[in-house]
Amino acid sequence: MAASTADSAATSSPEGPEVFMPTTEERKRLLRGVIPRARRLGVDDTLRGWSWSAPPLLSPYEVPLGLSEVASAYCETGRDVYARRVLGTEPEPNEKMLLGGSLHGTLRDWVVHAKRSLYACGVGRIEEALERIRTFPAPELPEAKTLLQYETDAIEFRIREAMSQFPRIGTDAIVAQVLPVTLGQMLDGAFLGLSRRLSTDLLNLGEPVVLDIIFDDEKRSFHRLTLAGYALVLEAVYEFPVDVGLTVYAGFRDGRLRMEREFTVLGDEVRMEFIEARDEKQRMVAEAMDPGPCEGCEAWCGR
Amino acid sequence: MNLPDLTVTDVRQYVYCPRIPYYRYTLPLERPVTAKMDLGREEHESTSAKESRRTLKAYGIKEGERRFGVDLYSRHLHLRGRIDMVIFTRYELVPVEYKMTSDVGLHHKYQLAAYAMLAEHTCSQTVSRAFVYLTPEKRAVEVPITAAMRERVRGVLAELRRSVWNERLPAPTPHRGRCYGCEYRRFCGDVLAGGA
């Protein structure tokens, strides 16, 4: 199914403050467009994560798949899941996966480092905090270097902006203001018949937003299923509504970071699509039904 | 490939349980009519008669022309349907479907989306919202018609055609409670009605 255009607001933002932070225009679009639209459309209560104990969310099979296994459709037939779960094949990560994993790891380490520097110095010694943030060891990977250079410049701007706007801001508040993200929030997916050790990224823009950062890949219609899946799990675990997701597409060209952020309203359709994919893939594994290889299958998957 | 025409009812039933339209198209049977279906038809007729005497206040519309039992067809979608009422205003087309229920289910939502798409194709005017008129409560519920809903309807039509064409039995609805009143219950040997 193709990605919807009206229910997702795609915006180009080469000058965004941080990879995950929306620009002023994007924030306006989010607050005046995406969030009100999500509230107006609403979500059928049977498709809220907290309705996990009844159909259609109730998992019909005892096959705790990872969320990415359900949501991902890089392998069109889903044979990658069959190969891994039924045949016991060990996946061989391709170059893109390795790069993505490495950049995600770098970004997570940097966020912890930046938050730690701010807490250690406090707002009283903000220049020292900025100095500390700059001391993050330069990674070898050129893409990671570019990413961190961008992040370091951006956070300096954000901190100075916050300090000038709110001169009496406290340490904890400035961290929340300039880095309102939780990277790698752990979640128990068992409510939805998924793995018990899921991990997601979250952005707090006054409303919880599921965050998915995708490095060096084009937009694909199934990317929004990841957002819907994590929204369902968050709703099941914490029982608060999650109506908006954000996919950040980050790529590198000529040593420069290029970004596009796409907000998605997590309405009935994308939730249903996720649940249908879950049921289909769990059934495939539970009943050991080989879906056959897809075109361009990875070697380990098509074996 | 010659695409057979489908109906809006197929869309609603597919969302309710994908097996119902599959059986309708693949089994050479006369469709059994349940008491619930008879009751629904009678209620529909009586609501249409009453509706013609009402104002459009329930829909928050001041002026508009109502047409009842409008036949809609789209050659592009290979889809047809007959909607209970369409309100024609200066600025928009508003499809309305009567339902003898107290709430709007997902299957009703996508039925309306399908009607909206058909109305657009038939009348060459955009539809951005539709209504379900809940007859027991005498209340109209607005359903915004979004791009994602249209996409879903297209997906349902494609999936339904695929399953009928390939004679591939779709998975049953996860809502097993629905199986009790289903006219095709005896054909679903692999489904244990009443379970989760």
Side-chain angles (χ1 to χ4, degrees), chain A residues 6-7 41 55 268-269 272 276, chain B residues 109-110 147-149 152 174-175:
Chain A
D7 287 355
L41 294 176
D268 293 340
E269 296 76 20
M272 273 194 283
E276 283 166 7
Chain B
K109 219 179 115 176
Y110 295 105
M149 286 168 73
R152 174 86 190 158
H175 299 269

Side-chain angles (χ1 to χ4, degrees), chain A residues 1-7 37 40-42 44 46-47 54-58 60 224 268-269 272-273 276 279 283, chain B residues 14-15 104-106 109-110 128 142 144-149 151-152 154-156 169-171 174-176 195-196:
Chain A
M1 199 174 286
S4 79
T5 46
D7 287 355
R37 189 164 66 232
R40 190 168 60 89
L41 294 176
D44 193 276
T46 60
L47 293 169
L57 297 195
L58 186 66
R224 64 206 172 107
D268 293 340
E269 296 76 20
M272 273 194 283
E273 219 180 305
E276 283 166 7
D279 291 352
R283 181 164 167 243
Chain B
Y14 186 93
V15 177
V104 181
L106 284 170
K109 219 179 115 176
Y110 295 105
S128 59
E142 186 178 324
I145 306 297
T146 67
M149 286 168 73
E151 198 59 51
R152 174 86 190 158
R154 280 190 280 267
V156 164
L169 184 69
H175 299 269
R176 293 291 187 266

Side-chain angles (χ1 to χ4, degrees), chain B residues 8 48 65-73 80-88 93-98 115 118-120 122-123:
Chain B
V8 174
S48 296
E65 185 204 337
R66 275 174 297 191
R67 290 186 203 163
F68 298 96
V70 182
D71 287 313
L72 303 167
Y73 177 69
R80 64 176 71 248
R82 187 183 175 88
I83 179 122
D84 291 336
M85 183 171 83
V86 180
I87 305 170
F88 291 78
L93 277 185
V94 186
V96 180
E97 182 71 3
Y98 310 138
Y115 277 132
L118 272 188
E120 284 174 340
T122 311
C123 309

